[in-house]
Amino acid sequence: MTPTLTVSDEVRTLVPGFTGLVVEAHGLVNGPSDEASAALLDDAACRLAGRLEGRTPDQDPHIAAWRAAYTAFGAKPSRTRNSAEALARRALADGGLPRVNRLVDAYNAVSVAHLVPVGGEDLGRIKGAMRLVRAVGDEPFVTVAGGAETVEHPEPGEIVWCDDEGVTCRRWNWRQGPRTRIDDDTVDAFFLLEALPPMTRDELLAAGTELAESLERLSPGARITVHAPE
């Protein structure tokens, strides 16, 4: 199944210039992090350090644009950081980037190297079309707190990704729910790269192409499609 993603007019009006790129993958072979996926993360951290040249991630123009977008829908960007900034800060810290699993490592590496938010969803767990909308406030977001499953709700006006069953990611790309995330059993998935000006379509496409190449190396024989940015 090819993922269907739509962006509401409300979101496009509030944050003009948003562009998303989908990398669709079938026949993946996932598993625990290994030397190959760890090498991607280490290389990404080195590239990030070279890109920033001593600056903090929030001083990068693309991260600054995401901070402005978060402020526009009422989030506090220093408290709930977009996923690219959060990962970049971890990459520069003493502990470095977390090792999650081979597929998550691959897309986290691209996120850090290109300073672009990247999310991964298990296609078999998505219910209906994916939509980027401003929340009403009663949508369910199933998460885990204190080791137990719990249901939260986004704030009214919050930008969220959702499917027919509920919210899949809160505050745009801040926190993904466990229902659709990629785990060791994932075979079919899509990866969403999200850009705001000043990141160009060519830069976004380059990041998506790099992710596709990493997935092909980690899962030989997988069928990978890089969809045009929209």
Side-chain angles (χ1 to χ4, degrees), residues 175-194:
R175 188 173 66 172
Q176 183 186 29
R179 173 170 62 88
T180 61
R181 69 185 175 195
I182 290 172
D183 61 22
D184 288 355
D185 297 324
T186 296
V187 175
D188 302 319
F190 75 87
F191 305 85
L192 175 63
L193 291 75
E194 301 182 289

Side-chain angles (χ1 to χ4, degrees), residues 21-114:
L21 179 148
V22 171
V23 178
E24 182 181 356
H26 298 271
L28 294 166
V29 178
N30 201 9
S33 301
D34 59 13
E35 289 186 7
S37 67
L40 294 175
L41 293 171
D42 291 340
D43 175 68
C46 290
R47 291 162 64 187
L48 172 68
R51 172 177 177 151
L52 292 177
E53 296 182 325
R55 295 174 298 152
T56 55
D58 59 286
Q59 293 175 302
D60 179 87
H62 193 220
I63 297 301
W66 276 105
R67 283 182 152 242
Y70 270 48
T71 300
F73 69 82
K76 295 182 179 179
S78 293
R79 181 181 300 172
T80 55
R81 295 182 175 90
N82 70 83
S83 63
E85 181 180 353
L87 276 174
R89 289 170 62 90
R90 294 191 70 172
L92 297 172
D94 290 341
L97 286 165
R99 273 57 172 164
V100 181
N101 59 52
R102 286 160 56 86
L103 298 181
V104 173
D105 291 351
Y107 77 73
N108 280 348
V110 168
S111 177
V112 167
H114 293 265

